[in-house]
Amino acid sequence: MLRKPTASQELLASAINTADHPSGANVAKTVDSVSNIMMGQDWPPKPQDAAVADSLEAGSGYQQGKEERRQPTWAAAVQRRLPPWCEARPCRAAILVVLLIKLLAVLLVATGPELLKGARNALRLVYYSSDPMLFGRNDVAFPAPHCCVGAACAQPHTGRVAVLTYIRSDNYLPLLKHLECSFRRSNPGVELGVMSAPGELGAATKEWLEHRNLTLIEVQPLYYPNYHTPRYGQNWLKLRALSLMQYDAVLLIDSDTVVLGDVRPVFSLPVEFAAVWDQNKWLGRYNTRLPGGINGGVLLLRPCPAMLLHMVELLDTQPKLRFSHGAAEQDFFTWYYRYTGMMLPVEYNTMASDSLAGNLTIGGRPPVVVHFTQHKPFGGAVPGRPGHNFLCSAEEMQLR
């Protein structure tokens, strides 16, 4: 004759079956029930009236005779999966941990990359915020040379300014074509140039740059490995823009952008550095918290070779400033200019997937620069993707 399983065994068997086939409601209900068992409570509560108990047992399928020898499915599950010692609390705790892991798996499937991105950024924040040195550079602890200060930065010297981007291979030419097309429409007469390291661009790409009257500037590579996102290691080339003394100012923008408005006003700002704060959504909502740092997609720089040498010296002697587990040069610029730079309005670096609300920014203004941090338009515009309506048409692109 089979021994009737206890209520604890019945529930633990149900918990295991639910873990094999998780659904949000069942997992949550089972976790609550297992928690009651761990607190020493049985579930459901045992009837106090013996007559009621006898009645429940009589109707539960445990009659005498042949039906006694037929083993219910849940009983087989208990005998197959739960050893006798699993009535102990450590075993119950282990089951609860398994269920919680399953519940987290359901949440990961539901929220996916956004949740993982948030967790990764949280770990990065903890790692770097634990070091007071990384709060921001000041001229007492890390004195830096300055080629201009305040209003002197807005005074012309060479009379030449430029918008520069950078590409490290021919694969980025499709993005550059969209950038060039939009820039010619919005900023006629403003110089547009491309930075690259020697040998990185092929003859066809160089020929296209010459045909479209883009200035090609070859600079020496600068690289530090990055473990957060390996391709970020290539972004250190941006620092080389500080060596371009032929310009009074440079607006350095990523190649995965389009320029829709006039950028010339930023060249007259009385600062040596300016950028837009970083933006991102959290679980589909706009992140309106105070900014933690800048985004490296649009940077106003005043060329200053002495400052470049100072930066490289810091990076060589202070490895943590390379932000190898963070956003590389973006986090470094945040640290270096935290107390001396200027924050630009969000329309100067509007992240298409994070800061566009229709055709306006989350601030309700028309964007000047749209930045495709996601859904990069390598293959042209894709209907429905954020910001792709601002790209040049297929007819315009054929002319390039």
Side-chain angles (χ1 to χ4, degrees), residues 285-311:
R285 292 180 174 270
Y286 293 113
N287 189 344
T288 56
R289 64 177 175 81
L290 292 175
I294 61 108
N295 179 269
V298 177
L299 305 172
L300 174 67
L301 298 169
R302 304 283 180 184
C304 183
M307 184 172 285
L308 171 60
L309 291 176
H310 181 245
M311 290 181 175

mmCIF file of all heavy atoms in Angstrom, residues 285-311:
data_model
loop_
_atom_site.group_PDB
_atom_site.id
_atom_site.type_symbol
_atom_site.label_atom_id
_atom_site.label_comp_id
_atom_site.label_asym_id
_atom_site.label_seq_id
_atom_site.Cartn_x
_atom_site.Cartn_y
_atom_site.Cartn_z
ATOM 1 N N ARG A 285 11.597 53.172 -21.031
ATOM 2 C CA ARG A 285 11.235 54.515 -20.597
ATOM 3 C C ARG A 285 12.429 55.446 -20.760
ATOM 4 O O ARG A 285 13.567 55.038 -20.610
ATOM 5 C CB ARG A 285 10.785 54.514 -19.124
ATOM 6 C CG ARG A 285 9.470 53.777 -18.900
ATOM 7 C CD ARG A 285 9.092 53.820 -17.416
ATOM 8 N NE ARG A 285 7.781 53.247 -17.186
ATOM 9 C CZ ARG A 285 6.652 53.942 -17.217
ATOM 10 N NH1 ARG A 285 6.695 55.236 -17.461
ATOM 11 N NH2 ARG A 285 5.488 53.364 -17.009
ATOM 12 N N TYR A 286 12.133 56.715 -21.029
ATOM 13 C CA TYR A 286 13.198 57.699 -21.131
ATOM 14 C C TYR A 286 13.859 57.883 -19.777
ATOM 15 O O TYR A 286 13.189 58.013 -18.753
ATOM 16 C CB TYR A 286 12.653 59.033 -21.632
ATOM 17 C CG TYR A 286 12.172 58.987 -23.057
ATOM 18 C CD1 TYR A 286 10.824 59.137 -23.362
ATOM 19 C CD2 TYR A 286 13.063 58.760 -24.100
ATOM 20 C CE1 TYR A 286 10.382 59.087 -24.676
ATOM 21 C CE2 TYR A 286 12.636 58.709 -25.409
ATOM 22 C CZ TYR A 286 11.295 58.865 -25.692
ATOM 23 O OH TYR A 286 10.859 58.805 -26.984
ATOM 24 N N ASN A 287 15.179 57.873 -19.786
ATOM 25 C CA ASN A 287 15.942 58.028 -18.551
ATOM 26 C C ASN A 287 16.150 59.518 -18.299
ATOM 27 O O ASN A 287 16.941 60.173 -18.967
ATOM 28 C CB ASN A 287 17.293 57.308 -18.690
ATOM 29 C CG ASN A 287 18.033 57.241 -17.369
ATOM 30 O OD1 ASN A 287 17.708 57.963 -16.428
ATOM 31 N ND2 ASN A 287 19.027 56.376 -17.298
ATOM 32 N N THR A 288 15.431 60.056 -17.333
ATOM 33 C CA THR A 288 15.485 61.497 -17.070
ATOM 34 C C THR A 288 16.352 61.832 -15.864
ATOM 35 O O THR A 288 16.323 62.953 -15.371
ATOM 36 C CB THR A 288 14.067 62.033 -16.813
ATOM 37 O OG1 THR A 288 13.466 61.300 -15.737
ATOM 38 C CG2 THR A 288 13.201 61.882 -18.054
ATOM 39 N N ARG A 289 17.134 60.856 -15.383
ATOM 40 C CA ARG A 289 17.993 61.131 -14.240
ATOM 41 C C ARG A 289 19.087 62.117 -14.633
ATOM 42 O O ARG A 289 19.348 62.359 -15.811
ATOM 43 C CB ARG A 289 18.638 59.836 -13.738
ATOM 44 C CG ARG A 289 19.570 59.198 -14.755
ATOM 45 C CD ARG A 289 20.250 57.961 -14.200
ATOM 46 N NE ARG A 289 21.039 57.297 -15.209
ATOM 47 C CZ ARG A 289 22.251 57.657 -15.583
ATOM 48 N NH1 ARG A 289 22.817 58.713 -15.043
ATOM 49 N NH2 ARG A 289 22.897 56.988 -16.509
ATOM 50 N N LEU A 290 19.738 62.691 -13.646
ATOM 51 C CA LEU A 290 20.850 63.581 -13.925
ATOM 52 C C LEU A 290 21.951 62.819 -14.646
ATOM 53 O O LEU A 290 22.211 61.653 -14.334
ATOM 54 C CB LEU A 290 21.393 64.179 -12.624
ATOM 55 C CG LEU A 290 20.466 65.161 -11.906
ATOM 56 C CD1 LEU A 290 21.085 65.579 -10.573
ATOM 57 C CD2 LEU A 290 20.188 66.383 -12.755
ATOM 58 N N PRO A 291 22.601 63.443 -15.618
ATOM 59 C CA PRO A 291 23.581 62.716 -16.422
ATOM 60 C C PRO A 291 24.785 62.269 -15.615
ATOM 61 O O PRO A 291 25.270 62.977 -14.737
ATOM 62 C CB PRO A 291 23.981 63.747 -17.486
ATOM 63 C CG PRO A 291 23.675 65.069 -16.869
ATOM 64 C CD PRO A 291 22.461 64.844 -16.009
ATOM 65 N N GLY A 292 25.276 61.075 -15.922
ATOM 66 C CA GLY A 292 26.469 60.587 -15.262
ATOM 67 C C GLY A 292 27.724 60.878 -16.044
ATOM 68 O O GLY A 292 28.822 60.831 -15.516
ATOM 69 N N GLY A 293 27.591 61.201 -17.332
ATOM 70 C CA GLY A 293 28.753 61.465 -18.157
ATOM 71 C C GLY A 293 28.342 61.892 -19.540
ATOM 72 O O GLY A 293 27.151 61.972 -19.865
ATOM 73 N N ILE A 294 29.321 62.174 -20.370
ATOM 74 C CA ILE A 294 29.043 62.646 -21.717
ATOM 75 C C ILE A 294 28.964 61.481 -22.684
ATOM 76 O O ILE A 294 29.368 60.359 -22.374
ATOM 77 C CB ILE A 294 30.118 63.662 -22.176
ATOM 78 C CG1 ILE A 294 31.516 62.985 -22.204
ATOM 79 C CG2 ILE A 294 30.146 64.865 -21.254
ATOM 80 C CD1 ILE A 294 32.058 62.713 -23.567
ATOM 81 N N ASN A 295 28.429 61.754 -23.871
ATOM 82 C CA ASN A 295 28.498 60.792 -24.959
ATOM 83 C C ASN A 295 29.555 61.275 -25.938
ATOM 84 O O ASN A 295 29.631 62.464 -26.254
ATOM 85 C CB ASN A 295 27.147 60.664 -25.660
ATOM 86 C CG ASN A 295 27.199 59.679 -26.814
ATOM 87 O OD1 ASN A 295 27.469 60.058 -27.948
ATOM 88 N ND2 ASN A 295 26.960 58.411 -26.523
ATOM 89 N N GLY A 296 30.377 60.356 -26.427
ATOM 90 C CA GLY A 296 31.506 60.726 -27.269
ATOM 91 C C GLY A 296 31.175 60.923 -28.730
ATOM 92 O O GLY A 296 32.078 61.113 -29.546
ATOM 93 N N GLY A 297 29.880 60.904 -29.103
ATOM 94 C CA GLY A 297 29.509 61.000 -30.512
ATOM 95 C C GLY A 297 29.653 62.381 -31.109
ATOM 96 O O GLY A 297 29.806 62.513 -32.329
ATOM 97 N N VAL A 298 29.599 63.439 -30.292
ATOM 98 C CA VAL A 298 29.758 64.821 -30.759
ATOM 99 C C VAL A 298 30.601 65.565 -29.729
ATOM 100 O O VAL A 298 30.186 65.709 -28.574
ATOM 101 C CB VAL A 298 28.403 65.529 -30.948
ATOM 102 C CG1 VAL A 298 28.612 66.979 -31.368
ATOM 103 C CG2 VAL A 298 27.548 64.800 -31.983
ATOM 104 N N LEU A 299 31.781 66.038 -30.147
ATOM 105 C CA LEU A 299 32.704 66.698 -29.226
ATOM 106 C C LEU A 299 33.229 67.981 -29.848
ATOM 107 O O LEU A 299 33.728 67.973 -30.984
ATOM 108 C CB LEU A 299 33.899 65.781 -28.911
ATOM 109 C CG LEU A 299 33.609 64.381 -28.373
ATOM 110 C CD1 LEU A 299 34.908 63.575 -28.315
ATOM 111 C CD2 LEU A 299 32.949 64.444 -27.005
ATOM 112 N N LEU A 300 33.141 69.076 -29.114
ATOM 113 C CA LEU A 300 33.799 70.316 -29.518
ATOM 114 C C LEU A 300 35.170 70.359 -28.862
ATOM 115 O O LEU A 300 35.285 70.289 -27.634
ATOM 116 C CB LEU A 300 32.985 71.536 -29.094
ATOM 117 C CG LEU A 300 33.664 72.887 -29.354
ATOM 118 C CD1 LEU A 300 33.810 73.150 -30.849
ATOM 119 C CD2 LEU A 300 32.913 74.024 -28.671
ATOM 120 N N LEU A 301 36.215 70.456 -29.677
ATOM 121 C CA LEU A 301 37.592 70.460 -29.176
ATOM 122 C C LEU A 301 38.337 71.684 -29.699
ATOM 123 O O LEU A 301 38.145 72.100 -30.846
ATOM 124 C CB LEU A 301 38.332 69.197 -29.630
ATOM 125 C CG LEU A 301 37.792 67.847 -29.144
ATOM 126 C CD1 LEU A 301 38.468 66.713 -29.899
ATOM 127 C CD2 LEU A 301 37.997 67.691 -27.652
ATOM 128 N N ARG A 302 39.191 72.245 -28.838
ATOM 129 C CA ARG A 302 40.130 73.281 -29.252
ATOM 130 C C ARG A 302 41.504 72.614 -29.355
ATOM 131 O O ARG A 302 42.080 72.197 -28.344
ATOM 132 C CB ARG A 302 40.184 74.410 -28.215
ATOM 133 C CG ARG A 302 38.844 75.050 -27.907
ATOM 134 C CD ARG A 302 38.415 76.002 -28.984
ATOM 135 N NE ARG A 302 37.121 76.615 -28.676
ATOM 136 C CZ ARG A 302 36.481 77.428 -29.497
ATOM 137 N NH1 ARG A 302 37.017 77.729 -30.680
ATOM 138 N NH2 ARG A 302 35.314 77.936 -29.168
ATOM 139 N N PRO A 303 42.053 72.467 -30.560
ATOM 140 C CA PRO A 303 43.347 71.782 -30.704
ATOM 141 C C PRO A 303 44.412 72.374 -29.787
ATOM 142 O O PRO A 303 44.555 73.592 -29.675
ATOM 143 C CB PRO A 303 43.681 71.988 -32.178
ATOM 144 C CG PRO A 303 42.347 72.057 -32.850
ATOM 145 C CD PRO A 303 41.475 72.809 -31.882
ATOM 146 N N CYS A 304 45.143 71.474 -29.128
ATOM 147 C CA CYS A 304 46.177 71.878 -28.177
ATOM 148 C C CYS A 304 47.142 70.702 -28.012
ATOM 149 O O CYS A 304 46.885 69.786 -27.207
ATOM 150 C CB CYS A 304 45.546 72.253 -26.833
ATOM 151 S SG CYS A 304 46.716 72.859 -25.607
ATOM 152 N N PRO A 305 48.228 70.668 -28.748
ATOM 153 C CA PRO A 305 49.158 69.534 -28.689
ATOM 154 C C PRO A 305 49.689 69.265 -27.282
ATOM 155 O O PRO A 305 49.912 68.098 -26.916
ATOM 156 C CB PRO A 305 50.280 69.944 -29.646
ATOM 157 C CG PRO A 305 49.637 70.897 -30.598
ATOM 158 C CD PRO A 305 48.626 71.640 -29.789
ATOM 159 N N ALA A 306 49.911 70.310 -26.489
ATOM 160 C CA ALA A 306 50.413 70.095 -25.132
ATOM 161 C C ALA A 306 49.401 69.319 -24.296
ATOM 162 O O ALA A 306 49.772 68.467 -23.476
ATOM 163 C CB ALA A 306 50.727 71.443 -24.478
ATOM 164 N N MET A 307 48.115 69.586 -24.515
ATOM 165 C CA MET A 307 47.087 68.846 -23.780
ATOM 166 C C MET A 307 47.025 67.397 -24.237
ATOM 167 O O MET A 307 46.821 66.483 -23.429
ATOM 168 C CB MET A 307 45.734 69.531 -23.955
ATOM 169 C CG MET A 307 44.617 68.900 -23.155
ATOM 170 S SD MET A 307 43.095 69.880 -23.199
ATOM 171 C CE MET A 307 43.543 71.225 -22.087
ATOM 172 N N LEU A 308 47.216 67.173 -25.531
ATOM 173 C CA LEU A 308 47.253 65.799 -26.030
ATOM 174 C C LEU A 308 48.385 65.018 -25.377
ATOM 175 O O LEU A 308 48.196 63.872 -24.936
ATOM 176 C CB LEU A 308 47.407 65.802 -27.546
ATOM 177 C CG LEU A 308 47.677 64.446 -28.205
ATOM 178 C CD1 LEU A 308 46.544 63.472 -27.933
ATOM 179 C CD2 LEU A 308 47.905 64.611 -29.711
ATOM 180 N N LEU A 309 49.573 65.605 -25.296
ATOM 181 C CA LEU A 309 50.699 64.931 -24.653
ATOM 182 C C LEU A 309 50.401 64.628 -23.192
ATOM 183 O O LEU A 309 50.756 63.565 -22.672
ATOM 184 C CB LEU A 309 51.959 65.784 -24.779
ATOM 185 C CG LEU A 309 52.541 65.930 -26.188
ATOM 186 C CD1 LEU A 309 53.727 66.893 -26.169
ATOM 187 C CD2 LEU A 309 52.970 64.574 -26.740
ATOM 188 N N HIS A 310 49.725 65.554 -22.518
ATOM 189 C CA HIS A 310 49.364 65.342 -21.123
ATOM 190 C C HIS A 310 48.400 64.168 -20.983
ATOM 191 O O HIS A 310 48.530 63.321 -20.092
ATOM 192 C CB HIS A 310 48.742 66.613 -20.548
ATOM 193 C CG HIS A 310 48.361 66.509 -19.111
ATOM 194 N ND1 HIS A 310 47.049 66.578 -18.679
ATOM 195 C CD2 HIS A 310 49.112 66.327 -18.002
ATOM 196 C CE1 HIS A 310 47.021 66.454 -17.370
ATOM 197 N NE2 HIS A 310 48.252 66.307 -16.934
ATOM 198 N N MET A 311 47.431 64.087 -21.874
ATOM 199 C CA MET A 311 46.461 62.985 -21.831
ATOM 200 C C MET A 311 47.146 61.643 -22.041
ATOM 201 O O MET A 311 46.897 60.670 -21.310
ATOM 202 C CB MET A 311 45.391 63.197 -22.902
ATOM 203 C CG MET A 311 44.439 64.327 -22.636
ATOM 204 S SD MET A 311 43.205 64.458 -23.968
ATOM 205 C CE MET A 311 42.151 65.754 -23.317
#
